[in-house]
Amino acid sequence: MREHYRSEDFTEKDLAADPMDQFAHWFSQVAAGGVLHEPNAMVVSTATPEGRPSSRTVLLKQYDDQGFVFFTNYGSRKGRELAANPYVSLLFPWHPMARQVIVTGSAARVSREETVAYFRTRPHGSQLGAWASEQSTVVGSRTELVHRYEELAARYPEGEKVPAPPHWGGFRVVPDSIEFWQGHANRLHDRLRYVRSAENQAAWSVERLCP
């Protein structure tokens, strides 16, 4: 199985001065293209302090000049691993457009106010699901999980305010590097990586990587 990429060159002169501006540009193109069902889907990779990695797909819910935000159960595997080891990698696999964005950085919890504000925007069923699921723990059966949900639905019917769970909230990934990958024919891909300066956190350098 082999894909022959066809795309325009992606060079240093095409880059925005700031990596988050470049991400916003590519993300808007991907979202407007209509070829991806969930362009905000990203692979989040974490690791234990001993270096054992794990990955899963999570939905990006916000990005700004500070970084990338997603929400999860803090007791989940990724939540526990980030609590012990904050270093994380994000991968946006935009394959239909022969693009990837790879982020490395560190994660920290967002404020409780940010979590509650976002939780209020979730559909009622998703709010109940955040309470019903003890994410990453063993459950006896799907019936048991559905029963928990139904008990919560009876306690908080549609229209009733559901409190944000104390064990649930957001992480903001502050990037140290962001790589923009554009596929090309003959595997001569463009890989342009922004790297944050250690001396000046607001400054970035750009380097080109061999494909």
Side-chain angles (χ1 to χ4, degrees):
M1 300 174 67
R2 182 172 291 274
E3 179 71 23
H4 294 284
Y5 302 109
R6 295 288 184 270
S7 55
E8 298 179 359
D9 289 344
F10 177 54
T11 63
E12 287 79 351
K13 67 180 177 58
D14 302 313
L15 287 176
D18 185 90
M20 296 308 297
D21 291 337
Q22 181 62 41
F23 179 83
H25 176 60
W26 267 25
F27 186 81
S28 65
Q29 288 184 326
V30 171
V35 295
L36 284 172
H37 173 57
E38 290 182 318
N40 61 325
M42 59 184 182
V43 178
V44 177
S45 297
T46 57
T48 65
E50 296 74 36
R52 291 182 176 271
S54 61
S55 299
R56 74 288 293 160
T57 302
V58 177
L59 295 180
L60 174 72
K61 290 301 180 180
Q62 177 186 329
Y63 64 89
D64 54 29
D65 58 354
Q66 298 301 309
F68 305 84
V69 177
F70 66 90
F71 292 84
T72 189
N73 187 314
Y74 288 139
S76 66
R77 179 172 179 174
K78 59 183 170 299
R80 296 193 309 272
E81 289 183 352
L82 288 173
N85 174 9
Y87 297 109
V88 62
S89 176
L90 310 177
L91 168 64
F92 294 87
W94 297 330
H95 301 312
M97 298 185 72
R99 287 179 175 177
Q100 300 180 72
V101 178
I102 304 163
V103 179
T104 61
S106 57
R109 293 187 182 189
V110 304
S111 69
R112 189 61 186 167
E113 291 75 19
E114 287 180 85
T115 287
V116 172
Y118 170 70
F119 189 79
R120 292 281 164 262
T121 71
R122 301 186 95 204
H124 182 72
S126 296
Q127 293 181 353
L128 297 178
W131 280 101
S133 174
E134 297 177 18
Q135 193 174 25
S136 300
T137 64
V138 176
V139 64
S141 65
R142 179 169 180 80
T143 300
E144 181 181 335
L145 183 63
V146 171
H147 180 66
R148 293 182 197 168
Y149 180 91
E150 290 174 342
E151 286 185 332
L152 287 160
R155 188 186 314 168
Y156 301 106
E158 190 74 45
E160 186 85 9
K161 184 176 180 180
V162 181
H167 56 268
W168 187 94
F171 281 104
R172 175 173 284 103
V173 177
V174 179
D176 296 321
S177 73
I178 305 181
E179 178 186 331
F180 294 85
W181 185 101
Q182 176 68 70
H184 290 295
N186 303 315
R187 296 301 187 261
L188 299 180
H189 313 310
D190 286 318
R191 298 178 60 189
L192 298 179
R193 181 170 64 183
Y194 293 81
V195 179
R196 191 188 295 273
S197 168
E199 292 75 27
N200 179 2
Q201 292 293 293
W204 298 85
S205 61
V206 175
E207 52 194 19
R208 174 175 285 272
L209 305 178
C210 284

